[in-house]
Amino acid sequence: MRYTTQFLLSAMSAEQFPAPDSIGAVPEIAFLGRSNVGKSSLLNALAGEKAAKVSSTPGRTRAINFFLLVDDRQRPRLAFADLPGYGYAKISKSISAEWPKFIEPYLQDRETLSLCVCLVDSNVPPQERDRQLIDWLRAVNRDFVIVATKTDRLSGNERTRNLAALRKGLGVAEILPVSSKTGAGIRELWTRIEEVGTKKQQT
Ligand SMILES: Nc1nc2c(ncn2[C@@H]2O[C@H](COP(=O)(O)OP(=O)(O)OP(=O)(O)O)[C@@H](O)[C@H]2O)c(=O)[nH]1
Ligand SMILES: [Mg+2]
């Protein structure tokens, strides 16, 4: 299925989130991860177009940017939510302390949120903040998939080693390696996204 990606809006508070009914109550996919990990780039790679802004200055985005994916008959099928990165402010201890206030409620309460795509950098050792986020998503019962970004920067051996370290350090069984630059792993991630999309539509 081919989709066209439309920028919907940039929300700075819960009141500004698009009402699910106004976008056909489509399944929503959120992109989460540390600042500069490659969220916007991944969203663009999935969309096959430059829908989201790739930042030159990390930690700039403080809003949730919503995108609507429509099919060839202009019917809404999916929504993407590009979340602000965490881990930019160096001193805060908890994830939420440095996040805009509306992010945690978004992750906890958004009815149409069907899958959290959690990004970690394949070039960086496991990070405590990522682990905290994953544990928290488990605690609030959110479906998630862990994606290791920027694999184009690693040799085959390094990639195998780093992915094993990430699985262990983050306490997850599966990590999907991707590169927004080469397109590696993008099809596999699409398969995961379509799975949740169709599951939702059947119920
Ligand atoms: N080599 C390589 N570089 C990448 C890849 N994905 C992203 N980058 C680079 O990493 C930087 C950050 O990318 P973004 O997509 O803006 O990251 P982000 O997570 O959206 O950043 P914030 O919105 O600031 O939190 C940019 O310079 C990108 O070009 C990748 O797959 N490979
Ligand atoms: Mg971004």
Side-chain angles (χ1 to χ4, degrees), residues 60-118:
R60 276 280 279 280
T61 320
R62 306 311 287 161
I64 300 182
N65 290 314
F66 289 92
F67 299 84
L68 187 63
L69 282 75
V70 300
D71 65 15
D72 50 8
R73 290 161 73 183
Q74 295 301 308
R75 285 178 307 199
R77 298 303 290 260
L78 281 172
F80 282 173
D82 189 9
L83 269 68
Y86 53 88
Y88 183 63
K90 289 192 180 79
I91 29 170
S92 67
K93 287 202 186 86
S94 76
I95 299 169
S96 53
E98 66 197 82
W99 262 14
K101 275 206 177 64
F102 55 90
I103 308 263
E104 232 172 76
Y106 168 81
L107 290 173
Q108 213 162 338
D109 306 332
R110 182 78 171 165
E111 295 158 51
T112 46
L113 178 56
S114 305
L115 182 68
C116 294
V117 178
C118 301

Side-chain angles (χ1 to χ4, degrees), residues 7-65:
F7 173 72
L8 261 182
L9 57 86
S10 199
M12 297 285 284
S13 70
E15 295 74 50
Q16 295 172 349
F17 298 162
D21 285 342
S22 73
I23 51 171
V26 291
E28 198 158 281
I29 316 294
F31 296 82
L32 296 153
R34 285 159 60 84
S35 206
N36 213 40
V37 71
K39 296 176 293 298
S40 303
S41 302
L42 181 62
L43 197 150
N44 287 337
L46 286 165
E49 52 195 300
K50 288 211 167 87
K53 269 206 189 104
V54 170
S55 42
S56 44
T57 328
R60 276 280 279 280
T61 320
R62 306 311 287 161
I64 300 182
N65 290 314

